Amino acid sequence: MRTKLIVSAAAFGLLAGSAFAQSSTVTGAAGGAVTGAVVGGPVGAAIGGVTGAIVGGAIDPPPEKVVTYVQEQPLPPSEAVVQDQIVVGRALPETVVVTPVPDNPTYAYAVVNHKRVIVQPKTRKVVRILE
């Protein structure tokens, strides 16, 4: 009985996790843990948290063509400085101006805290940080 419950919790976590594929790893882990806890108690919470983190962490990396384009752009006259740490999977603040990549509207970029950052323009979620 307990094995069926654990397997059910894991399967439910995988199914629920795919609905949250655009979430960050932290959000995915938290959501998976809550879902797992409801279905399978403490063991379900552990399984759901791991599953949610894996699914939530899946952010498509930009193609090399986009990376090269962003690296070759001149620095703007003034760059954005934010107090929060810039992290892949987390959205940039609304105060940061993002510039679309002309040949690939799926991506945009900004220069924040002396770093070039590639983002998804609709969600402003950071996809890659260029050093």
Side-chain angles (χ1 to χ4, degrees):
M1 177 68 175
R2 187 169 217 178
T3 304
K4 286 183 182 180
L5 185 60
I6 292 171
V7 171
S8 296
F12 185 73
L14 285 172
L15 291 173
S18 65
F20 298 109
Q22 295 297 320
S23 299
S24 69
T25 303
V26 174
T27 305
V34 170
T35 303
V38 169
V39 175
V43 174
I47 293 170
V50 170
T51 302
I54 291 168
V55 172
I59 296 178
D60 293 331
E64 282 305 310
K65 189 165 107 175
V66 171
V67 172
T68 302
Y69 175 83
V70 172
Q71 288 173 329
E72 291 175 349
Q73 296 310 301
L75 290 173
S78 63
E79 63 183 68
V81 177
V82 297
Q83 296 299 323
D84 295 334
Q85 184 178 7
I86 304 301
V87 178
V88 172
R90 188 181 298 166
L92 289 178
E94 292 293 325
T95 57
V96 176
V97 176
V98 296
T99 305
V101 174
D103 291 339
N104 196 333
T106 307
Y107 299 100
Y109 70 95
V111 178
V112 184
N113 296 348
H114 307 294
K115 295 180 183 177
R116 294 173 194 260
V117 180
I118 300 174
V119 300
Q120 296 171 335
K122 291 181 182 177
T123 62
R124 303 176 64 82
K125 194 175 286 188
V126 175
V127 176
R128 186 162 172 189
I129 301 168
L130 305 176
E131 298 297 330

